[in-house]
Amino acid sequence: MIVTETAFPSADHQAPELATVDVLTVLQALSDPIRLEIVRQLAGSDEVGLMCGQIVLRVSKSTGSHHLKTLHLAGVTAERQQGVCKYISLRRAELDERFPGLLDSVLKAADTPAVPA
């Protein structure tokens, strides 16, 4: 049996090491409602993640790509190419290790209605 490189998922060589990412960068990436919705959808998926086309957004494809890139460069998501499909996954375990409780707090706060002043 001949095994080619494309038979296995490729590693994400562009994702930053989370040790080099500060909390402000992660919070800025999570501050946009579109990016927060992407993270919500990824948090509800398994560790395999979602294919790009499975992420439901109400923006154009180019705008969605911009938001996915922003999350990726901030270290929030990982990308994995498998054949012709690209999978996006949340780096939850790594984020929880680097910033304990941050992701859960942001997701919980986003789901809580604002209290009028």
Side-chain angles (χ1 to χ4, degrees):
M1 177 176 146
I2 298 173
V3 178
T4 63
E5 185 176 327
T6 58
F8 298 100
S10 62
D12 188 349
H13 301 292
Q14 295 178 346
E17 290 292 327
L18 278 182
T20 65
V21 176
D22 62 14
V23 70
L24 182 59
T25 301
V26 174
L27 288 172
Q28 284 175 332
L30 296 173
S31 68
D32 184 274
I34 300 295
R35 293 192 289 268
L36 192 55
E37 178 56 30
I38 293 169
V39 170
R40 275 192 194 114
Q41 290 181 39
L42 292 172
S45 71
D46 58 21
E47 63 274 353
V48 172
L50 298 171
M51 289 188 301
C52 287
Q54 292 178 305
I55 299 172
V56 179
L57 299 175
R58 296 180 184 188
V59 294
S60 69
K61 188 174 181 178
S62 62
T63 300
S65 293
H66 163 75
H67 288 298
L68 287 169
K69 182 178 180 180
T70 300
L71 288 169
H72 185 69
L73 293 176
V76 176
T77 61
E79 297 177 355
R80 175 176 55 84
Q81 193 76 31
Q82 187 170 356
V84 296
C85 300
K86 181 187 278 189
Y87 288 85
I88 310 295
S89 59
L90 192 58
R91 296 174 68 182
R92 182 179 274 290
E94 295 168 271
L95 285 166
D96 286 346
E97 184 178 323
R98 174 87 166 108
F99 308 110
L102 176 71
L103 193 56
D104 289 332
S105 295
V106 169
L107 290 171
K108 184 177 178 182
D111 289 336
T112 304
V115 177

